[in-house]
Amino acid sequence: LGQGTDTVCKAIEEPYNDLFGWTQYAQPNGTMVVSGQSCDVWFISVPTANLSTCLRADGAPLLYNQSLAGYLKKMSMEFSNHTVGPAPESAFAPSDACAHHYPTTPCATDGKTTLDVYRIHSAAEPRELQGRNVGDSLGDMAFVCAQGAEESYGNSLVSYWQVDVDAAFGQYGYCLYVGGTNKCYGGTGTQVGRESAMGLDGGEKLGQCSNNSRVGSWFSIPDDGECKDGQEIGQNCSWGNAKRIRTVNASCILHDRGLLDMCEKEI
């Protein structure tokens, strides 16, 4: 993502997952016209998702829709300018960013800073930051609004934290719950990662080394970057002294404080 020297390789070190792999189990659901082209609709419904696609007679997809429980609840993609047939080997060659600049180097900044960050989460989630993504006030609002605030987070909690971090931010990593533990993928080693909300605002390396004051910031907090007792932040560790200041019901922010109305107007 990005352009020129600010291009960032967004890799998750997990096996490839075919976006259309589920179609082998799908059922036909009529026909439709997408951008002037006729296609056959295929649909599948499982307890956690509804998925559909519209395929041309040659198998090329014209439309993809998904409705999932929770994160990224609804998504729709339309495809055009198809080339049908085996892809050339060059299509699988890594980009320069992925081959030579992944992950990105930490920002050239000395010292530490204290972050005020927020995390929206379920009541069952432990109150900790290890291996999790958080955002500042603007960044977390952007995340919540983009996901469909009421449907996705109406029954969740929001926790406000203060945490000391090494200001030499690394690449933002995606922190996921996998195999019974939280792990951050795609970050710069043990560094706290930073990115502008949605990668917007034109900051250096998608906001890794910018203050992102107009759109807010997202952060990744790697578990193995936490400073242990007696360790100084910046000396083989990148964060510590995390304090949970307050936890409230998300409904308080969404309804009582008007965030839901703001989301509907702005998004």
Side-chain angles (χ1 to χ4, degrees):
L1 299 177
Q3 296 180 342
T5 57
D6 276 341
T7 303
V8 176
C9 178
K10 305 294 284 185
I12 296 181
E13 297 165 12
E14 286 288 291
Y16 172 73
N17 183 30
D18 185 356
L19 182 65
F20 296 95
W22 56 271
T23 55
Q24 61 184 308
Y25 308 108
Q27 298 295 319
N29 194 36
T31 62
M32 64 183 300
V33 175
V34 177
S35 298
Q37 301 180 75
S38 179
C39 54
D40 296 317
V41 178
W42 294 85
F43 176 82
I44 190 171
S45 180
V46 296
T48 57
N50 292 318
L51 303 171
S52 68
T53 187
C54 202
L55 304 178
R56 283 190 329 205
D58 62 359
L62 300 181
L63 187 68
Y64 172 91
N65 290 306
Q66 74 173 29
S67 178
L68 305 180
Y71 180 65
L72 281 181
K73 193 175 182 75
K74 295 180 180 179
M75 181 172 69
S76 180
M77 294 185 288
E78 189 170 328
F79 303 91
S80 60
N81 299 323
H82 299 77
T83 299
V84 178
E89 286 298 319
S90 59
F92 301 96
S95 65
D96 180 68
C98 290
H100 304 293
H101 305 289
Y102 169 76
T104 58
T105 57
C107 304
T109 305
D110 295 325
K112 66 179 182 180
T113 188
T114 299
L115 300 178
D116 292 285
V117 294
Y118 302 82
R119 177 169 174 81
I120 191 160
H121 57 89
S122 72
E125 180 178 292
R127 309 298 194 266
E128 57 188 37
L129 292 185
Q130 293 93 333
R132 287 167 169 81
N133 293 121
V134 295
D136 60 16
S137 56
L138 276 177
D140 221 39
M141 280 193 293
F143 175 81
V144 171
C145 288
Q147 306 310 316
E150 175 62 21
E151 293 181 348
S152 297
Y153 301 114
N155 296 317
S156 299
L157 302 176
V158 178
S159 290
Y160 163 40
W161 292 79
Q162 289 183 336
V163 58
D164 295 333
V165 303
D166 183 353
F169 294 106
Q171 180 171 331
Y172 177 79
Y174 297 108
C175 302
L176 307 173
Y177 185 74
V178 178
T181 187
N182 281 75
K183 181 180 178 181
C184 297
Y185 295 84
T188 305
T190 60
Q191 294 301 115
V192 172
R194 179 170 66 176
E195 181 174 288
S196 60
M198 310 295 181
L200 301 175
D201 206 30
E204 182 182 353
K205 299 178 182 177
L206 298 183
Q208 175 186 329
C209 301
S210 310
N211 62 26
N212 309 318
S213 59
R214 295 198 305 170
V215 299
S217 293
W218 294 344
F219 302 92
S220 51
I221 313 292
D223 178 63
D224 53 1
E226 183 177 12
C227 298
K228 308 304 181 184
D229 290 343
Q231 274 189 294
E232 183 70 23
I233 291 175
Q235 302 297 318
N236 300 316
C237 62
S238 63
W239 66 276
N241 304 320
K243 300 180 182 67
R244 183 169 59 91
I245 307 302
R246 190 180 183 188
T247 297
V248 301
N249 291 322
S251 59
C252 172
I253 300 171
L254 293 174
H255 296 287
D256 300 349
R257 300 302 177 92
L259 179 58
L260 185 60
D261 289 339
M262 185 278 291
C263 289
E264 293 175 347
K265 293 176 181 178
E266 295 289 334
I267 302 299

